């Protein structure tokens, strides 16, 4: 008896048809039958049809007839997904009419193409079964007339040239359905399809759940409104969407010579795999990307944003207030928001533009299928029907065209800083009134649960905290050299930011939102609105700001001024067009723009900025929250450290202190700081070391996962270093720039010295800068601190004893 497993390994690893135990066909006719062990291959030998089993522990002898990529092995289609064979006696026959039939050893039919096909089979003259180079398994009459094709029956995978959609005439649908588990191809929990109620939307849902799981949304001519990675933002693929009275469908093709597959996996995630030059499947992107992508997580008239703790937070659109109380839980079907001033159908209603949005759910929408109406026509149409709540263009190309109307509550929106589109929402008051309102109080930190409470507590405690640590010395330091800090008035700021309009919104941090602005002279600025009601006095605030403004270095973000208006406090910074470092290094595509030379420049710049904070400035500053998100990039990609105002300043001789409040971000915090609240310049050195490794590897320390072990990035690099394999941590593209190998090794070495367990073993920044720039020999690093995931304290318990654990990060820099 043949060994099933070894047979499988043959096709998996040796992948050479000459090695296979059976026959390898290029075409099958009614005279042949494909037995277990035989294969049918595409002309280019990329795809293969045959029998396979998966490494299922419970059912080792389950076998399936399927279609796969030969190398690296990846199953893309399964005939008998719900009806496995037992043993190796299965065979596939083709009838004289061109139907495919799968039998087991007892000649029982397990699957047939005619049962899935709606086409009535007629007698074919010359039936043939082949795999085309696209990966389409086709039964045809002669070379031309297609009788049946696997592309019409997608499983969990969509390849270039396949489609998702619906034909209105035949009612045929093309949709994906996930496998049950990674090792079980039977029908699983998730499906992805085009919902054609209202304006068609691509949606992902869980079986048996009437609601969506994730709405990629409607097509706007360039992309799906809720899937930035699957549209115009992506330079690798062309996405195509067509909608006619007959059929609506979606498909994609690669722009360059790329082999790729898009999979709906068993846990409900879309995974885009791309084949690397080394013939490996690389996970290029996944969707949903974050929790805010899940359907209507914040309820109606609310937007979801990811805060610095990587959790979703909800806020009401301007002009709306939380339906139930100030805070609400983030969960499916959350209460959401209601109009602050209710709409009365009539002359008083008006429409306010909300730019940069993922369009709301269009299940109950009306649209102009010809894409012919203008925005003005659209507004008139919406105004004339009292139940119309909003309108937008259906197509954003050519300045916008077509009309889309919503009836009922608007749900499942989110804001995108550089994506998204305009939606015009009906409001119960005149636009003029709305504009003139004091918007300040309306942006309440209406986030959810613990995080919001912490932010509020932090804002209030901060004042006391500052006093405690700076005391009198702090004040004296300012007195001797009182520099002029521009204090801008609220009018200037609100003109510059267009009344803090959504379009200028850059991100939200623990201290409040940040907006982009442009002063009358043309200078671009970033305005950080500190959380209201901090209780801090005007003089105190001014002094604090002056202190920060004194710190000037080419690798620090410059504070330009501040603004005080009643309870409101704002900080005005120089604007950084290139967002923050994390935006580049952790993104598969953008990181490719970051060649080694640039990375080295960034590492050196951060080192110098930090050295300045630690030593060269008259005030010794410990940053305490150094991380990729706090390193902004100017238009030449020079790094500038931001948010150092949060750092506590010291008198010249005071080199360390301890606190029971921890400010910082897990993954970057040194052990002594995270566990004991003990901080010094050496805790910044630790964070710097982590950051250097992240810049080199393109991986986050905290989120790092490896199949072979449960170490974080530090542990992983340490392990490779001990085994003399440290070059393996490099991103593939960087590795190709071979001339820099010695630079890279040096950076890794210095980084490992910086993340050593004991603070006294770590170099100070002055030594680190020297080490990075010289060729001299370096000491041998000791084991890093926090090198396993298990060592990292549980976030929830840490939070309870350190109220200040809220970091001040903006999502997208300034
Ligand atoms: C399958 O095809 C083979 C070869 O033509 C034939 O001998 C066999 O009877 C067929 N089996 C069935 C069940 O149709
Ligand atoms: C998609 O539908 C259009 C009609 O709306 C049709 O012309 C086109 O062939 C379809 N695309 C595919 C890949 O079948
Ligand atoms: C599904 O995809 C997500 C995102 O890539 C991944 O984290 C998860 O492990 C995958 N699950 C399975 C069963 O493949
Ligand atoms: C959030 O949900 C929990 C559990 O369902 C409940 O106890 C709590 O009161 C809710 N909080 C708010 C603000 O609604
Ligand atoms: C308003 O639009 C809704 C939904 O299309 C429709 O049912 C209703 O009849 C319209 N009302 C008027 C007054 O046109």
């Amino acid at each position: 008896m043949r060994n099933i497993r070894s047979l499988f390994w043959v096709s998996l690893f040796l992948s050479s048809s000459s090695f296979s135990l059976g026959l390898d066909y290029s075409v099958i006719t009614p005279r042949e039958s494909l037995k277990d062990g035989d294969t049918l291959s595409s002309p280019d030998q990329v795809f293969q049809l045959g029998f396979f089993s998966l490494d299922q522990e419970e059912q080792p002898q389950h076998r399936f007839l399927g279609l796969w990529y030969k190398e690296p092995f990846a199953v893309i289609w399964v005939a008998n997904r719900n009806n496995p064979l037992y043993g190796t006696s299965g065979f596939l026959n083709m009838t004289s009419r061109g139907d495919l039939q799968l039998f087991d050893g007892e000649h029982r039919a397990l699957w047939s193409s005619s049962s899935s096909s709606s086409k009535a089979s007629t007698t074919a003259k010359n039936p043939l079964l082949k795999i085309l180079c696209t990966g389409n398994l086709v039964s045809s009459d002669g070379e031309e007339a297609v009788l049946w094709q696997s592309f019409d029956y997608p499983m969990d995978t969509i390849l270039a040239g396949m489609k998702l959609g619906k034909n209105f005439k035949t009612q045929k649908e093309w949709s994906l359905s996930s496998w049950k588990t990674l090792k079980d191809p039977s029908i699983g929990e998730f499906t992805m399809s085009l919902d054609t109620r209202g304006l068609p939307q691509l949606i992902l849902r869980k079986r048996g759940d009437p609601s969506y799981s994730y709405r990629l949304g409607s097509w706007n001519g360039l992309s799906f409104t809720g899937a930035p990675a699957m549209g115009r933002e992506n330079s690798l693929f062309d996405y195509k969407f067509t909608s006619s009275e007959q059929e609506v469908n979606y498909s994609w093709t690669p722009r360059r010579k790329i082999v790729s597959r898009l999979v709906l996996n068993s846990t409900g995630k879309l995974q885009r795999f791309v084949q690397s030059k080394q013939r490996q499947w690389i996970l290029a992107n996944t969707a949903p990307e974050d929790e805010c992508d899940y359907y209507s997580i914040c309820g109606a008239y609310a937007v979801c944003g990811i805060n610095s703790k990587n959790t979703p937070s909800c806020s009401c659109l301007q002009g709306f207030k939380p339906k139930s109380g100030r805070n609400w839980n983030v969960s499916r079907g959350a209460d959401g928001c209601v109009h602050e001033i209710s709409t009365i159908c009539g002359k008083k209603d008006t429409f306010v533009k909300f730019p940069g949005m993922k369009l709301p759910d269009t299940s109950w929408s009306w649209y102009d299928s010809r894409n012919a109406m203008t925005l003005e026509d659209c507004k008139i149409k919406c105004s004339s029907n009292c139940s119309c709540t909003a309108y937008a263009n259906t197509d954003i190309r050519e300045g916008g065209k077509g009309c889309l109307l919503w009836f009922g509550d608007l749900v499942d929106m989110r804001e995108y800083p550089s994506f998204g589109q305009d939606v015009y929402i009906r409001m119960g008051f005149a636009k003029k009134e709305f504009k003139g309102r004091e918007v300040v109080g309306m942006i309440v930190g209406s986030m959810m649960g613990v995080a919001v409470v912490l932010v509020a507590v932090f804002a209030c405690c901060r004042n006391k905290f500052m006093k405690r640590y700076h005391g009198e010395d702090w004040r004296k330091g300012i007195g001797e050299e009182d520099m002029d800090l521009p204090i801008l008035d609220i009018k200037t700021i609100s003109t510059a930011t267009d009344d803090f309009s959504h379009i200028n919104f850059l991100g939200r941090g623990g201290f409040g939102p940040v907006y982009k602005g442009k002063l009358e002279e043309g200078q671009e600025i970033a305005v950080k609105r500190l959380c209201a009601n901090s209780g801090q006095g005007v003089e105190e605030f001014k002094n604090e700001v002056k202190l920060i403004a004194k710190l000037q270095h080419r690798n620090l973000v410059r504070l330009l001024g501040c603004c005080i208006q009643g309870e409101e406090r704002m900080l005005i910074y120089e604007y950084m067009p290139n967002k923050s470092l994390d935006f580049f290094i952790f993104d598969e595509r953008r990181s490719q723009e970051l060649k080694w030379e640039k990375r080295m420049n960034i590492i050196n710049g951060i080192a110098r900025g930090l050295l300045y904070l630690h030593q060269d400035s008259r005030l010794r500053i410990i940053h305490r929250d150094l991380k990729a998100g706090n390193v902004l990039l100017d238009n030449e990609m020079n790094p500038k450290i931001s948010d150092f105002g949060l750092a506590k300043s010291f008198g010249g001789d005071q080199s360390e202190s301890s606190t029971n409040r921890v400010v910082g971000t897990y993954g970057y915090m040194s052990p002594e700081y995270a566990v004991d609240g003990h901080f010094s310049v050496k805790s910044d050195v630790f964070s710097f070391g982590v950051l250097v490794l992240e810049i080199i590897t393109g991986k986050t320390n905290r989120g790092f996962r490896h199949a072979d072990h449960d170490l974080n990035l530090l542990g992983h690099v340490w392990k490779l270093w001990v085994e003399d394999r440290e070059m393996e941590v490099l991103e593939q593209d960087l590795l190709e720039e071979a001339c820099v190998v010695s630079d890279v090794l040096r950076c890794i070495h210095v980084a490992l010295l910086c993340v050593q367990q004991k603070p006294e073993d770590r170099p100070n920044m002055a030594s680190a800068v020297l080490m990075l720039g010289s060729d001299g020999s370096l000491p041998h690093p000791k084991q890093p601190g926090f090198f396993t995931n298990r060592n990292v304290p549980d976030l929830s318990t840490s939070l309870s004893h350190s109220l200040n654990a809220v970091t001040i990060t903006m999502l997208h820099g300034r």
Side-chain angles (χ1 to χ4, degrees):
M1 191 183 149
R2 280 187 293 189
N3 185 323
I4 299 162
R5 277 289 272 284
S6 70
L7 189 63
F8 177 62
W9 294 127
V10 167
S11 68
L12 179 53
F13 288 115
L14 301 173
S15 75
S16 147
S17 46
S18 60
F19 223 92
S20 168
L21 303 173
L23 295 166
D24 185 36
Y25 294 93
S26 57
V27 61
I28 287 178
T29 66
R31 282 179 300 280
E32 284 104 6
S33 85
L34 187 87
K35 290 186 281 301
D36 197 319
D38 295 343
T39 50
L40 170 70
S41 296
S42 61
D44 54 6
Q45 299 288 315
V46 169
F47 297 98
Q48 223 166 34
L49 176 79
F51 292 85
F52 70 97
S53 31
L54 295 157
D55 197 13
Q56 293 170 298
E57 267 163 30
E58 325 83 78
Q59 292 114 359
Q61 72 281 58
H62 276 193
R63 284 185 78 70
F64 302 93
L65 174 71
L67 189 60
W68 59 75
Y69 269 103
K70 268 172 83 170
E71 206 194 340
F73 183 78
V75 176
I76 53 172
W77 182 83
V78 183
N80 56 325
R81 71 185 302 188
N82 291 319
N83 228 351
L85 281 152
Y86 300 91
T88 56
S89 55
F91 61 96
L92 179 75
N93 270 15
M94 191 183 206
T95 69
S96 58
R97 303 196 304 182
D99 292 334
L100 307 177
Q101 294 179 329
L102 174 66
F103 298 102
D104 66 9
E106 268 92 58
H107 290 241
R108 280 187 302 238
L110 292 177
W111 173 82
S112 155
S113 64
S114 60
S115 59
S116 59
S117 169
S118 55
K119 221 178 255 173
S121 306
T122 48
T123 313
K125 291 192 196 91
N126 183 21
L128 303 170
L129 180 68
K130 299 196 290 196
I131 307 175
L132 308 184
C133 288
T134 52
N136 195 4
L137 176 68
V138 175
S139 146
S140 59
D141 189 7
E143 294 293 331
E144 295 290 309
V146 172
L147 302 169
W148 178 93
Q149 56 182 342
S150 64
F151 271 21
D152 275 341
Y153 303 92
M155 300 269 144
D156 64 336
T157 302
I158 168 167
L159 302 178
M162 288 177 80
K163 65 179 173 186
L164 295 180
K166 184 170 183 177
N167 187 304
F168 297 114
K169 252 188 166 166
T170 61
Q171 297 299 313
K172 160 104 184 118
E173 276 193 65
W174 295 264
S175 62
L176 296 183
S177 61
S178 66
W179 285 21
K180 196 164 196 172
T181 67
L182 204 53
K183 300 280 173 66
D184 182 356
S186 65
I187 204 148
E189 273 193 308
F190 293 92
T191 60
M192 179 164 145
S193 57
L194 271 170
D195 188 336
T196 53
R197 297 176 295 167
L199 185 64
Q201 330 186 66
L202 196 55
I203 52 126
L204 213 152
R205 57 165 109 217
K206 206 170 168 175
R207 212 167 284 281
D209 192 338
S211 181
Y212 302 145
S213 167
Y214 165 42
R215 195 176 58 91
L216 291 87
S218 49
W219 185 257
N220 62 26
L222 294 172
S223 61
F224 289 99
T225 186
M230 288 177 69
R232 71 188 144 130
E233 295 279 283
N234 195 314
S235 57
L236 296 182
F237 305 98
D238 271 323
Y239 294 94
K240 203 169 153 203
F241 182 82
T242 39
S243 174
S244 70
E245 275 174 27
Q246 281 221 336
E247 181 171 317
V248 36
N249 59 37
Y250 158 74
S251 59
W252 60 271
T253 46
R255 274 190 201 170
R256 301 186 222 153
K257 241 188 137 207
I258 295 174
V259 177
S260 175
R261 59 196 170 96
L262 189 63
V263 178
L264 173 63
N265 83 9
S266 55
T267 47
K269 299 274 206 276
L270 279 173
Q271 294 179 301
R272 158 76 72 190
F273 292 97
V274 172
Q275 214 175 73
S276 70
K277 281 184 210 138
Q278 289 72 32
R279 287 241 171 174
Q280 277 176 330
W281 290 113
I282 312 268
L283 185 59
N285 51 52
T286 63
E289 289 179 50
D290 58 43
E291 299 223 31
C292 283
D293 275 342
Y294 290 107
Y295 183 70
S296 190
I297 196 160
C298 292
Y301 301 109
V303 288
C304 184
I306 294 295
N307 62 24
S308 54
K309 277 273 164 282
N310 239 343
T311 51
S313 67
C314 298
S315 45
C316 293
L317 292 174
Q318 286 187 20
F320 293 82
K321 60 180 186 211
K323 191 168 179 187
S324 51
R326 276 207 138 200
N327 310 320
W328 71 90
N329 283 342
V330 174
S331 66
R332 262 269 198 107
D335 273 354
C337 309
V338 292
H339 281 278
E340 285 194 331
I341 301 170
S342 27
T343 56
I344 330 148
C345 193
K347 282 197 182 120
K348 278 201 130 183
D349 284 357
T350 184
F351 290 90
V352 173
K353 172 173 156 181
F354 290 83
M357 307 288 285
K358 168 181 179 178
L359 291 189
D361 189 353
T362 57
S363 303
W364 310 110
S365 66
W366 175 91
Y367 68 105
D368 148 38
S369 55
R370 292 189 179 163
N371 263 359
M373 287 169 71
T374 65
L375 203 58
E376 196 50 37
D377 299 337
C378 195
K379 180 180 179 175
I380 293 167
K381 189 159 174 74
C382 190
S383 313
S384 68
N385 184 326
C386 289
S387 37
C388 178
T389 44
Y391 68 91
N393 276 134
T394 42
D395 193 326
I396 59 172
R397 289 173 300 180
E398 299 157 30
K401 57 186 178 179
C403 177
L404 172 60
L405 305 180
W406 282 267
F407 300 92
D409 284 347
L410 305 177
V411 300
D412 196 32
M413 288 177 275
R414 67 177 295 180
E415 281 171 331
Y416 291 113
S418 57
F419 187 76
Q421 49 204 101
D422 299 345
V423 51
Y424 297 81
I425 301 179
R426 186 188 285 263
M427 298 293 228
F429 44 83
K431 187 170 187 174
K432 241 180 145 190
E433 277 171 54
F434 178 72
K435 273 249 168 184
R437 280 172 59 89
E438 179 58 78
V439 197
V440 175
M442 279 160 60
I443 306 177
V444 283
S446 39
M447 303 175 211
M448 79 311 164
V450 186
V452 72
V453 179
L454 283 177
V455 171
V457 172
F458 185 25
C460 301
C461 298
R462 191 160 158 261
N463 188 27
K464 269 189 225 154
F465 189 37
M466 297 295 290
K467 267 189 206 149
R468 204 168 111 206
Y469 282 97
H470 304 310
E472 288 306 305
D473 290 343
W474 176 59
R475 259 161 240 264
K476 264 187 225 150
I478 303 287
E480 53 187 65
E481 187 188 291
D482 208 349
M483 58 182 290
D484 259 336
L485 181 79
I487 298 189
L488 293 100
D489 67 352
I490 182 78
K491 245 176 139 177
T492 311
I493 302 296
S494 92
T495 311
T497 57
D498 197 9
D499 262 359
F500 300 97
S501 98
H502 273 264
I503 214 163
N504 289 322
F505 179 74
L506 291 175
R508 190 186 296 273
F511 275 158
V514 181
Y515 294 84
K516 182 184 169 177
K518 198 170 190 174
L519 297 176
E520 254 163 35
E521 315 86 80
Q523 185 179 9
E524 290 187 312
I525 53 172
V527 180
K528 182 172 233 173
R529 303 180 81 169
L530 302 176
C531 223
N533 303 320
S534 72
Q536 195 172 35
V538 172
E539 279 314 304
E540 228 167 343
F541 176 71
K542 276 191 200 164
N543 284 339
E544 185 191 335
V545 171
K546 278 177 190 165
L547 180 80
I548 300 169
K550 271 184 191 165
L551 299 167
Q552 293 195 10
H553 184 272
R554 61 189 300 256
N555 296 114
L556 299 183
V557 176
R558 262 189 79 182
L559 180 67
L560 303 174
C562 68
C563 171
I564 300 166
Q565 171 78 10
E567 284 289 289
E568 266 255 328
R569 307 271 186 274
M570 291 171 224
L571 295 175
I572 322 299
Y573 289 95
E574 62 179 329
Y575 174 73
M576 289 291 137
N578 267 329
K579 309 195 174 176
S580 49
L581 188 54
D582 54 349
F583 186 74
F584 283 89
I585 57 175
F586 302 139
D587 181 272
E588 190 118 17
R589 190 168 49 85
R590 283 187 282 263
S591 74
Q592 286 172 7
E593 297 163 27
L594 223 52
K595 296 294 174 214
W596 175 253
E597 205 187 318
K598 283 252 161 67
R599 290 187 200 223
M600 193 67 215
N601 178 48
I602 290 170
I603 291 172
N604 282 324
I606 298 168
R608 284 191 295 262
L610 203 52
L611 173 61
Y612 172 83
L613 285 177
H614 284 180
Q615 290 191 356
D616 295 347
S617 64
R618 280 184 318 108
L619 316 139
R620 303 190 67 184
I621 299 275
I622 297 177
H623 189 296
R624 303 223 271 166
D625 196 14
L626 185 69
K627 58 179 168 183
N630 274 341
V631 175
L632 307 188
L633 297 166
D634 72 6
N635 47 17
E636 285 162 6
M637 303 295 278
N638 291 312
K640 303 219 177 205
I641 299 174
S642 78
D643 269 345
F644 47 85
L646 163 77
K648 304 294 167 271
S649 53
F650 293 88
D653 54 350
Q654 198 179 358
S655 63
E656 59 177 59
S657 183
S658 76
T659 172
N660 56 0
R661 296 191 176 88
V662 174
V663 181
T665 305
Y666 289 103
Y668 291 88
M669 273 192 262
S670 60
E672 75 278 7
Y673 183 21
V675 174
D676 301 316
H678 194 76
F679 66 89
S680 68
V681 289
K682 296 294 183 70
S683 28
D684 274 355
V685 171
F686 186 96
S687 311
F688 173 75
V690 174
L691 188 51
V692 169
L693 292 179
E694 291 184 336
I695 292 171
I696 294 172
T697 60
K699 306 275 189 316
T700 66
N701 184 32
R702 197 133 196 266
F704 182 82
R705 293 284 177 276
H706 196 282
D708 298 343
H709 54 67
D710 132 43
L711 302 170
N712 62 9
L713 180 62
L714 295 191
H716 177 62
V717 176
W718 172 247
K719 183 170 177 289
L720 292 175
W721 203 83
V722 168
E723 295 166 10
D724 261 345
R725 294 163 54 208
E726 66 267 45
M727 281 309 284
E728 288 179 33
V729 305
L730 263 198
E731 283 195 300
Q732 194 57 43
D733 288 356
L734 289 177
L735 203 52
E736 283 164 12
E737 302 175 68
C739 57
V740 299
V741 167
S742 63
D743 277 352
V744 176
L745 291 179
R746 196 162 188 87
C747 281
I748 295 173
H749 196 147
V750 173
L752 283 174
L753 289 170
C754 291
V755 298
Q756 292 175 99
Q757 170 85 29
K758 290 194 181 140
E760 58 271 28
D761 290 335
R762 298 174 208 147
N764 59 22
M765 280 318 293
S767 315
V769 168
L770 273 178
M771 288 173 177
L772 284 170
S774 72
D775 292 322
S777 70
L778 301 174
H780 199 85
K782 296 183 189 154
Q783 176 174 301
F786 269 176
F787 67 99
T788 68
N789 287 335
R790 285 182 297 274
N791 272 352
V792 178
D794 173 40
L795 198 58
S796 54
T797 57
S798 311
L799 281 179
S800 62
H801 77 72
S802 56
L803 285 180
N804 279 345
V806 177
T807 96
I808 310 172
T809 318
M810 285 172 308
L811 292 178
H812 292 287
R814 343 186 152 99

